[in-house]
Amino acid sequence: MKKVVAYVGSRNKNSSTLKLVSSIKDAVLAISSSEIKFNIYTPNNCNIMPDDGSASAFKTGVDKIEEARIDDSLQLKKEIKDCDFLILASPTYAHAVSGDMKILIDRITYWNHIFYLANKPGQIIVTASGNGFLKVAAYIRQILENCGVVFCDDVIQTDSRILSDIDITNSALTIVNQLNLSNEVFVPSAGAEANFQHLKARYINSNKSFFEPNYWKKHGMFECENLKEYFQKVLGEKK
Ligand SMILES: Cc1cc2nc3c(=O)[nH]c(=O)nc-3n(C[C@H](O)[C@H](O)[C@H](O)COP(=O)(O)O)c2cc1C
């Protein structure tokens, strides 16, 4: 069974972002011929605490809040790691992601340096009254591409462009198509590829007792010429 996980960064009880993601979920379940589990998380059903600021996860790979189990990050991070398609949906707040989306992004920033979500397809969904939404989508894309996520086209809804049933069906079709491609190697963005080369050069001679260079060594990342080759390796190990 294929798994889709969506995190919606709105705690609005009448969230338009949640309504949009729920409509896409219904369309995905209606279209797909195979069984799909589609879990939607929001700050109202999943408590993610702000980062503690220690930056220790970059050195140790251990997220202390997750380890202490004082919020729901253990479950959400596992769901994100294990899913076949990831959706990150945020309203636009003051031309930026919502505070709740930023909290989640802060908590997974250390995944940026290890391409922890290598070869995972995803979609960014942004809602707004009408300003600043491009910056929001670009920001989520930049951070998550550096975790290894490969995004299809963004879904944007504003007050003057409420998505139609056809738009929702198209978005659902994209997700179902990507799920059907999950035995394929996706093409990383130029930015993610450049970041892979940058980090490779930085870690190759670093002390391997630190988490990040150690992770690269353990996962055979130094032996990969490029990020696409690493995606291929990750896919091969998944099969
Ligand atoms: C605190 C706050 C800040 C906002 N800032 C912006 C903004 O900068 N640009 C914009 O177009 N809409 C802005 N909005 C409107 C929301 O982005 C928009 O209504 C969105 O669809 C709300 O999603 P939700 O119903 O899922 O919470 C803001 C709304 C709130 C509550």
Side-chain angles (χ1 to χ4, degrees):
M1 190 199 320
K2 293 281 162 64
K3 280 193 271 179
V4 179
V5 166
Y7 183 74
V8 178
S10 174
R11 56 182 65 212
N12 181 356
K13 295 280 184 269
N14 290 309
S15 168
S16 57
T17 320
L18 178 59
K19 276 183 202 141
L20 180 55
V21 174
S22 302
S23 303
I24 293 172
K25 171 181 174 174
D26 292 345
V28 165
L29 298 183
I31 290 166
S32 177
S33 52
S34 48
E35 218 185 325
I36 293 178
K37 196 169 167 198
F38 194 129
N39 289 343
I40 303 177
Y41 294 93
T42 80
N44 296 324
N45 66 10
C46 180
N47 173 36
I48 304 296
M49 284 173 59
D51 194 85
D52 64 9
S54 67
S56 63
F58 293 95
K59 293 197 187 95
T60 61
V62 177
D63 172 342
K64 286 195 263 180
I65 300 173
E66 177 190 337
E67 192 184 38
R69 302 192 181 197
I70 47 178
D71 70 359
D72 299 320
S73 54
L74 178 71
Q75 186 199 350
L76 181 62
K77 287 166 76 179
K78 190 176 174 337
E79 289 262 305
I80 291 175
K81 170 69 175 161
D82 293 344
C83 72
D84 301 291
F85 193 93
L86 174 65
I87 296 174
L88 291 172
S90 180
T92 303
Y93 281 1
H95 288 222
V97 290
S98 68
D100 284 300
M101 180 57 77
K102 184 64 167 66
I103 284 174
L104 174 65
I105 288 175
D106 290 347
R107 292 287 305 282
I108 60 173
T109 308
Y110 68 104
W111 291 356
N112 259 259
H113 298 171
I114 54 170
F115 295 93
Y116 191 62
L117 303 177
N119 203 48
K120 191 180 296 299
Q123 189 171 59
I124 295 161
I125 298 178
V126 178
T127 62
S129 292
N131 293 295
F133 50 86
L134 290 180
K135 272 197 281 184
V136 172
Y139 174 71
I140 297 174
R141 179 175 288 269
Q142 184 194 339
I143 300 294
L144 270 295
E145 278 182 351
N146 282 334
C147 293
V149 180
V150 181
F151 287 107
C152 43
D153 284 348
D154 300 338
V155 174
I156 309 276
Q157 175 170 279
T158 64
D159 287 357
S160 55
R161 191 175 175 269
I162 302 296
L163 295 191
S164 65
D165 288 350
I166 294 175
D167 293 321
I168 286 164
T169 304
N170 284 339
S171 167
L173 277 172
T174 304
I175 295 171
V176 172
N177 287 340
Q178 296 284 310
L179 287 171
N180 290 339
L181 289 175
S182 65
N183 277 336
E184 289 199 18
V185 182
F186 294 106
V187 180
S189 69
E193 188 61 75
N195 197 39
F196 182 86
Q197 299 300 340
H198 161 72
L199 292 171
K200 185 177 175 184
R202 181 165 139 197
Y203 294 145
I204 201 152
N205 295 317
S206 301
N207 183 339
K208 304 292 184 292
S209 64
F210 285 120
F211 165 69
E212 289 160 346
N214 182 263
Y215 186 98
W216 275 65
K217 189 170 169 231
K218 248 172 62 186
H219 291 80
M221 295 169 81
F222 294 120
E223 283 77 57
C224 294
E225 272 301 304
N226 48 47
L227 183 55
K228 183 147 190 232
E229 203 177 303
Y230 182 55
F231 281 7
Q232 173 94 59
K233 185 172 159 50
V234 167
L235 183 67
E237 284 160 6
K238 226 173 116 184
K239 279 182 188 166

